[in-house]
Amino acid sequence: PVNTLPEEILVEIFFYIRDTCYALPNFAPVRSILKLVAVCHHWREVISSTPSFWSSIDITRNPMSEWAQLCFSRTDKADKDVTFHYPPFKHRSLPDFLGPHLPHIRSLRFLQAHSAWVASISLLLQDPMPRLRRLEVVHSMGPRAADTVPLELSATLLPQLEFVRLIGHSVSKQIVSCRNLRSLELRNAIMPVSLDRFRDCLEQLHSLEWLSL
């Protein structure tokens, strides 16, 4: 029977199921996990004791919900990939909610961020995130960069940042200090300086492999 398999193999099977579910329409991360933990006590114990299984945290509702809190507590100090799908909650709670977890966030994505969110996101970026490698902020209403304040990206606070995707948001010229950047996408964004000057600044990013403006 399947429960005679080593736990490491079970975990790989569960990862495959979870990752396959991500490709499905109307994917609900909660649903896929709940179905697995409901099969039997052994599966529930294996999943609950595997921090990496909870590390991809998709927030589609209130991030202060019990489910979101459970995901963060199960991952403990493991790297976390956090994605916000425009949940209906007060954006000013972002710093308080994510603050304790910032040292362990590897990927932070806001896929439908309203202009009002930018101030709260900027406040987040003022704190050190030593493990952050990917940052995505996509405006929920299309190209509205003129309505937003520039996002400050500091190499001192984000030393591992490699992938940046900003759609419809302004960007600070500090971004060129992030020398580890490998991928940079700035669509419908207001540049901090003239395009020629910005191009010259980009020459300082020796690790940059992909650029989209």
Side-chain angles (χ1 to χ4, degrees):
V2 68
N3 282 349
T4 62
L5 292 172
E7 290 188 3
E8 294 81 1
I9 301 299
L10 272 180
V11 167
E12 290 300 320
I13 294 173
F14 295 154
F15 279 147
Y16 176 80
I17 295 173
R18 184 198 64 181
D19 294 343
T20 301
C21 289
Y22 268 96
L24 297 177
N26 302 317
F27 166 65
V30 176
R31 192 177 305 153
S32 64
I33 295 179
L34 290 181
K35 285 183 177 180
L36 290 174
V37 299
V39 171
C40 65
H41 175 75
H42 180 56
W43 285 23
R44 182 165 62 251
E45 289 296 313
V46 171
I47 292 174
S48 298
S49 61
T50 306
S52 55
F53 195 85
W54 305 83
S55 63
S56 295
I57 305 172
D58 286 77
I59 299 175
T60 57
R61 297 183 180 180
N62 187 348
M64 304 303 291
S65 67
E66 291 184 9
W67 174 256
Q69 297 291 349
L70 176 64
C71 288
F72 278 106
S73 65
R74 290 274 169 83
T75 53
D76 191 26
K77 295 183 179 180
D79 289 348
K80 301 169 179 61
D81 302 318
V82 184
T83 301
F84 288 84
H85 298 270
Y86 195 50
F89 77 103
K90 295 180 179 179
H91 61 87
R92 291 181 179 85
S93 66
L94 268 176
D96 292 335
F97 170 64
L98 285 181
H101 311 289
L102 292 182
H104 309 292
I105 292 181
R106 175 177 53 195
S107 170
L108 184 58
R109 306 167 68 213
F110 299 90
L111 298 187
Q112 297 187 58
H114 192 273
S115 299
W117 286 41
V118 178
S120 296
I121 296 174
S122 296
L123 190 59
L124 278 179
L125 297 175
Q126 294 177 17
D127 289 324
M129 285 189 270
R131 299 188 186 181
L132 188 69
R133 295 182 178 276
R134 179 181 298 273
L135 175 67
E136 294 186 39
V137 186
V138 179
H139 200 291
S140 61
M141 303 299 291
R144 296 283 299 279
D147 297 340
T148 67
V149 296
L151 290 173
E152 302 286 344
L153 303 179
S154 166
T156 303
L157 301 176
L158 312 171
Q160 300 298 321
L161 191 62
E162 295 182 348
F163 304 92
V164 172
R165 181 173 183 247
L166 303 179
I167 309 298
H169 288 279
S170 302
V171 59
S172 166
K173 62 182 179 181
Q174 275 189 314
I175 194 171
V176 298
S177 69
C178 300
R179 301 299 177 86
N180 290 322
L181 273 183
R182 296 171 52 197
S183 176
L184 177 60
E185 182 177 358
L186 303 174
R187 284 198 286 128
N188 302 318
I190 293 180
M191 299 299 175
V193 292
S194 68
L195 186 58
D196 288 341
R197 173 58 180 156
F198 190 63
R199 183 186 58 194
D200 293 339
C201 293
L202 289 176
E203 292 181 358
Q204 304 174 35
L205 302 178
H206 301 297
S207 298
L208 194 63
E209 301 172 356
W210 190 83
L211 173 66
S212 176
L213 299 177

